[in-house]
Amino acid sequence: MAEFYGKKYKLSTSENFEEFMKALGVGLVTRKMGNSISPTIELTENNGEFSLKTSSTFKNSEIKFKLGEEFDEETIDGRQVKSVMTREGNKFIQVQKGDKETIIEREFTPTEMKAVMKLGDIVCTRVYKLQE
Ligand code: ACD
């Protein structure tokens, strides 16, 4: 079992999230909310079934997936997409296909999780620190 399963990581730094949300068409009020909160992320695994939970004072979300198998997802901003998650070592790579294609790479270490979210030319980097 990977040592980062079941650990909680809390948002510490965020770059370009405003631009990323704008490019997705997220409205002003939700963008302000998105910029002001520090969500917590937790990845768990059970017999090849993964769950990625994102919790915040604004919204909570959970996606459940198996590696390499497409699943339907409603994103936090309400888009309906087809997602596939693959894994390279401790990096989980999610491709979301819908009106817009986004790629979210989440790399876990024992002390932090770095999420790099890409939409066209826009790259947003969010670093989460292990919650003690
Ligand atoms: C995170 C949040 C990852 C969000 C990634 C894509 C969602 C796209 C746009 C966000 C829209 C609104 C932002 C509002 C809240 C963000 C956090 C909500 C937590 C459930 O990985 O940090």
Side-chain angles (χ1 to χ4, degrees):
M1 193 174 103
E3 57 191 327
F4 47 86
Y5 292 163
K7 297 274 170 66
K8 291 189 173 138
Y9 296 84
K10 191 174 176 63
L11 184 70
S12 170
T13 62
S14 178
E15 277 172 28
N16 275 346
F17 194 44
E18 171 70 3
E19 289 74 10
F20 182 76
M21 288 189 288
K22 262 192 190 165
L24 285 173
V26 177
L28 178 69
V29 174
T30 306
R31 293 205 312 272
K32 282 201 166 181
M33 188 63 78
N35 281 322
S36 68
I37 56 177
S38 297
T40 300
I41 285 195
E42 180 180 4
L43 179 70
T44 54
E45 188 262 350
N46 187 9
N47 287 332
E49 300 210 5
F50 289 84
S51 156
L52 183 75
K53 285 185 190 160
T54 307
S55 314
S56 75
T57 48
F58 170 54
K59 269 187 183 182
N60 297 318
S61 89
E62 179 177 13
I63 55 172
K64 292 184 176 178
F65 57 90
K66 290 182 180 173
L67 295 174
E69 286 189 16
E70 187 176 85
F71 59 98
D72 292 315
E73 178 185 4
E74 180 174 339
T75 63
I76 290 163
D77 54 308
R79 286 167 296 132
Q80 302 293 333
V81 296
K82 300 273 184 198
S83 273
V84 180
M85 189 82 75
T86 53
R87 177 177 187 172
E88 290 174 12
N90 289 341
K91 189 189 280 187
F92 289 74
I93 301 154
Q94 181 179 6
V95 178
Q96 295 175 321
K97 291 194 175 170
D99 286 346
K100 294 174 175 150
E101 180 169 321
T102 51
I103 299 173
I104 306 176
E105 298 178 353
R106 299 180 181 88
E107 186 164 14
F108 289 83
T109 73
T111 54
E112 66 174 42
M113 189 279 279
K114 183 168 153 189
V116 178
M117 306 194 277
K118 299 176 187 165
L119 169 51
D121 291 345
I122 298 168
V123 179
C124 162
T125 304
R126 283 158 75 82
V127 176
Y128 298 71
K129 296 284 184 193
L130 181 71
Q131 211 169 25
E132 303 290 349

Coordinates of all heavy atoms in Angstrom, one line a residue, residues 17 20-21 24 26 30 34 37 39 41 54-56 58-61 76-77 79 104 117 126 128, ligand 1:
F17 N -4.7 29.8 -10.7 CA -6.0 29.1 -10.6 C -7.1 30.0 -11.2 O -8.0 29.6 -11.8 CB -6.3 28.8 -9.1 CG -7.4 27.8 -8.9 CD1 -7.6 26.7 -9.7 CD2 -8.4 28.1 -7.9 CE1 -8.7 25.8 -9.5 CE2 -9.4 27.2 -7.7 CZ -9.6 26.1 -8.5
F20 N -7.1 29.7 -14.9 CA -7.6 28.3 -15.2 C -9.1 28.3 -15.1 O -9.8 27.9 -16.0 CB -7.0 27.3 -14.2 CG -7.4 25.9 -14.5 CD1 -6.9 25.1 -15.5 CD2 -8.3 25.3 -13.6 CE1 -7.2 23.8 -15.7 CE2 -8.6 23.9 -13.8 CZ -8.1 23.2 -14.9
M21 N -9.6 28.9 -14.0 CA -11.1 28.9 -13.8 C -11.7 29.8 -14.9 O -12.8 29.4 -15.4 CB -11.4 29.4 -12.4 CG -11.1 28.5 -11.3 SD -11.8 29.0 -9.7 CE -10.7 30.3 -9.3
L24 N -12.2 28.1 -18.1 CA -13.2 27.1 -18.0 C -14.6 27.7 -18.1 O -15.6 27.0 -18.2 CB -13.1 26.2 -16.7 CG -12.0 25.2 -16.7 CD1 -11.9 24.6 -15.3 CD2 -12.2 24.1 -17.7
V26 N -15.8 29.6 -15.6 CA -16.3 29.7 -14.2 C -16.7 31.2 -13.9 O -15.9 32.1 -14.2 CB -15.3 29.2 -13.2 CG1 -15.8 29.3 -11.8 CG2 -15.0 27.7 -13.5
T30 N -18.0 32.3 -8.1 CA -17.4 31.0 -7.8 C -15.9 31.1 -7.9 O -15.2 30.5 -7.1 CB -17.9 30.0 -8.8 OG1 -19.4 30.0 -8.8 CG2 -17.4 28.6 -8.5
G34 N -13.4 30.1 -5.1 CA -12.4 29.1 -5.4 C -11.0 29.6 -5.0 O -10.2 28.9 -4.5
I37 N -10.5 29.7 -0.8 CA -10.6 28.5 0.1 C -9.4 27.6 0.0 O -8.8 27.6 -1.1 CB -11.9 27.7 -0.1 CG1 -12.0 27.3 -1.5 CG2 -13.1 28.5 0.4 CD1 -13.2 26.4 -1.8
P39 N -8.9 23.8 0.0 CA -9.4 22.5 0.2 C -8.4 21.4 0.7 O -7.2 21.7 0.7 CB -9.8 22.1 -1.2 CG -9.6 23.3 -2.1 CD -8.7 24.2 -1.3
I41 N -7.4 17.3 0.3 CA -7.5 16.2 -0.6 C -7.1 14.9 0.1 O -6.1 14.9 0.8 CB -6.7 16.5 -1.9 CG1 -7.5 17.5 -2.7 CG2 -6.4 15.2 -2.7 CD1 -7.0 17.7 -4.1
T54 N -12.2 15.6 -2.3 CA -11.8 17.0 -2.1 C -12.8 17.6 -1.2 O -14.0 17.6 -1.4 CB -11.8 17.7 -3.4 OG1 -10.9 17.0 -4.3 CG2 -11.2 19.1 -3.3
S55 N -12.4 18.2 -0.1 CA -13.3 18.8 0.9 C -12.9 20.2 1.2 O -11.8 20.6 1.2 CB -13.2 18.1 2.3 OG -13.1 16.7 2.1
S56 N -14.0 21.0 1.3 CA -13.8 22.4 1.6 C -15.0 23.0 2.3 O -16.1 22.3 2.3 CB -13.5 23.2 0.3 OG -14.7 23.4 -0.4
F58 N -16.7 25.3 1.1 CA -17.6 25.7 0.0 C -18.3 24.5 -0.6 O -19.6 24.5 -0.8 CB -16.7 26.4 -1.1 CG -17.4 26.7 -2.4 CD1 -18.6 27.3 -2.4 CD2 -16.8 26.3 -3.6 CE1 -19.2 27.6 -3.7 CE2 -17.4 26.5 -4.8 CZ -18.6 27.2 -4.8
K59 N -17.6 23.4 -1.0 CA -18.1 22.2 -1.6 C -17.3 21.0 -1.2 O -16.1 21.2 -0.9 CB -18.1 22.4 -3.1 CG -19.3 23.0 -3.8 CD -19.1 22.9 -5.3 CE -20.3 23.6 -6.0 NZ -20.3 23.5 -7.4
N60 N -17.9 19.8 -1.4 CA -17.1 18.6 -1.3 C -17.3 17.8 -2.6 O -18.3 18.0 -3.2 CB -17.6 17.8 -0.1 CG -17.4 18.5 1.2 OD1 -16.4 19.1 1.5 ND2 -18.5 18.4 2.1
S61 N -16.3 17.1 -2.9 CA -16.5 16.3 -4.1 C -15.7 14.9 -3.9 O -14.8 14.9 -3.1 CB -16.0 17.0 -5.4 OG -14.6 16.7 -5.6
I76 N -16.2 20.1 -10.3 CA -16.6 21.0 -9.2 C -17.4 22.2 -9.8 O -18.3 22.7 -9.1 CB -15.4 21.4 -8.4 CG1 -14.8 20.2 -7.6 CG2 -15.6 22.6 -7.5 CD1 -13.4 20.3 -7.2
D77 N -17.0 22.6 -11.0 CA -17.7 23.7 -11.6 C -18.9 23.3 -12.4 O -19.5 24.1 -13.2 CB -16.7 24.6 -12.4 CG -16.0 23.8 -13.4 OD1 -15.4 22.7 -13.0 OD2 -16.0 24.1 -14.6
R79 N -19.3 20.9 -14.9 CA -19.2 20.3 -16.3 C -19.4 18.8 -16.2 O -18.9 18.1 -15.3 CB -17.8 20.6 -16.9 CG -17.6 22.0 -17.4 CD -16.1 22.3 -17.6 NE -15.4 22.2 -16.4 CZ -14.2 21.5 -16.3 NH1 -13.7 20.9 -17.3 NH2 -13.6 21.5 -15.1
I104 N -5.2 16.9 -15.4 CA -4.8 17.2 -14.0 C -3.8 16.1 -13.6 O -4.1 14.9 -13.5 CB -6.0 17.2 -13.0 CG1 -7.1 18.1 -13.5 CG2 -5.5 17.6 -11.6 CD1 -8.3 18.1 -12.7
M117 N -2.5 21.5 -13.3 CA -3.8 21.4 -14.1 C -3.5 22.2 -15.4 O -3.1 23.4 -15.3 CB -4.9 22.0 -13.3 CG -5.0 21.3 -11.9 SD -6.6 21.6 -11.1 CE -6.2 23.2 -10.4
R126 N -0.9 23.8 -8.0 CA -1.4 23.9 -6.6 C -0.7 22.9 -5.8 O -0.6 21.7 -6.1 CB -2.9 23.7 -6.6 CG -3.7 25.0 -7.1 CD -5.1 24.7 -7.5 NE -6.1 24.4 -6.5 CZ -6.7 25.4 -5.8 NH1 -6.4 26.6 -6.0 NH2 -7.7 25.0 -4.9
Y128 N -0.2 21.1 -2.1 CA -0.9 20.7 -0.9 C 0.1 20.1 0.1 O 0.9 19.3 -0.3 CB -2.0 19.7 -1.2 CG -3.1 20.1 -2.1 CD1 -2.8 20.3 -3.5 CD2 -4.3 20.4 -1.7 CE1 -3.8 20.7 -4.3 CE2 -5.3 20.8 -2.5 CZ -5.0 21.0 -3.9 OH -6.0 21.4 -4.7
Ligands
ACD1 C1 -8.3 21.5 -6.1 C2 -9.5 21.9 -6.8 C3 -9.4 21.3 -8.1 C4 -10.4 21.9 -9.0 C5 -10.1 21.5 -10.3 C6 -10.9 21.8 -11.3 C7 -12.2 22.4 -11.1 C8 -12.3 23.5 -12.0 C9 -12.7 24.7 -11.6 C10 -13.0 25.0 -10.2 C11 -14.2 25.7 -10.1 C12 -14.6 26.3 -9.0 C13 -13.6 26.5 -7.9 C14 -14.3 26.3 -6.6 C15 -13.8 25.6 -5.6 C16 -12.5 24.9 -5.7 C17 -12.3 23.9 -4.6 C18 -13.5 23.1 -4.3 C19 -13.3 22.0 -3.5 C20 -14.3 20.9 -3.5 O1 -7.7 20.5 -6.4 O2 -7.9 22.3 -5.2

